[in-house]
Structures are given as structure tokens and as C-alpha cells.
Amino acid sequence: MKTTPVPLSGIFFFWAGFVCSISFLEAWLKFQAPGVTLEVGLSIGKLIFTALNRMEWVFVLILMLWTLPRVKRLPARFNTLTGTVVFILVVQTFFLLPALNQRADMIIAGTEPGESPVHLLFGIAEVSKVLFLLYLGWLSARLSRQGKREEKGMQKV
């Protein structure tokens, strides 16, 4: 029986909402507020994205606690996609965020860091991660419903 527990879909959807609210709303809105300079906005962004990243690792921990005991019973697609989300988070945590923080520090210090694809790569990673999280939320809900139908079928026998 390849199923997931019901709360698992909620974790995926909540995580996706968390990333969307910070990355796609707060990130650019803070620069619209009166009096927020580029330097202040970048300082706020560094704090917020560091906090978001740490919270995402909490989501990973929660997922691992829920899924590791039943990983062999979960569909390979579910495990692969979950691993892909964790891989994206690893890349963001250890490569992209440090590079973005370094660039922000340079701008705050008054230095122009020059051209870099890091911001674009981070954005692509965020969009990809959110799409995977939404799909995993949907897949988890579907697998949970499938498991409940199978359990009801077994009880009738």
C-alpha cells in the first residue's frame, strides 16, 4: 500500500506558501516602502532569507520524521521529488545564498559587484521548488485518499 499520512500534504502546501510569501511578495515589496534605501532593503532581505532558509530546514526535518519510517512504502516518484526539493535547498543554502549575501554586503559597503547569474539562478530555484512542493502536496493528498479507500475496502472483506 503506497500511501502518505494526511498531514504530509499540509506540510508541503504550507511550505510552498511560506516560500511564496517571502520570495515572491516580501522580497520586492520592501523596496516599495517609503524611506527604504537599497542598502536597508538588502540588509532586511539578508535577515529574512536567512530566517526563511532555516525554517525550510525545519520543514525538511518534519518531512524526514514523517516519511523515513515509511520510505520503502512510498512511491519512487514521491521519494525522488522530495529528494529533488531537498537538493534544491542544499544548493540554495550552501552556494546561492552565501553568494547573494556576499553581493549584498558589497553593495551595502558601496562596492559595485558586477554582473552575476546568482540572483537569476536563485529565482529559478525558488520557482522550481515551489512547483515541486505544490505537486508533492497534491500527490500526498491523493496518496492519502487512495490509502483510505484501500483501508475501507479491506474492512469490508
Side-chain angles (χ1 to χ4, degrees), residues 57-126:
W57 284 108
V58 170
F59 287 127
V60 169
L61 177 64
I62 292 167
L63 279 173
M64 292 304 116
L65 291 173
W66 275 100
T67 58
L68 281 179
R70 48 185 72 77
V71 73
K72 290 183 180 180
R73 295 185 315 224
L74 294 169
R77 174 177 40 163
F78 178 89
N79 293 328
T80 301
L81 291 173
T82 302
T84 302
V85 169
V86 173
F87 175 75
I88 291 170
L89 190 57
V90 166
V91 169
Q92 287 180 310
T93 301
F94 297 107
F95 299 101
L96 298 176
L97 274 175
L100 287 172
N101 284 339
Q102 183 180 30
R103 292 178 60 76
D105 288 339
M106 291 172 74
I107 294 168
I108 292 166
T111 305
E112 180 58 42
E115 293 291 317
S116 171
V118 176
H119 199 260
L120 177 64
L121 292 173
F122 189 84
I124 291 168
E126 286 291 78

Side-chain angles (χ1 to χ4, degrees), residues 147-157:
K148 286 182 180 183
R149 281 195 300 264
E150 288 176 8
E151 285 176 14
K152 285 182 183 178
M154 286 181 192
Q155 289 172 356
K156 291 180 182 178
V157 172

Side-chain angles (χ1 to χ4, degrees), residues 46-65:
K46 283 177 53 180
L47 287 171
I48 299 266
F49 276 91
T50 298
L52 170 63
N53 184 260
R54 289 181 181 152
M55 189 61 212
E56 288 189 275
W57 284 108
V58 170
F59 287 127
V60 169
L61 177 64
I62 292 167
L63 279 173
M64 292 304 116
L65 291 173

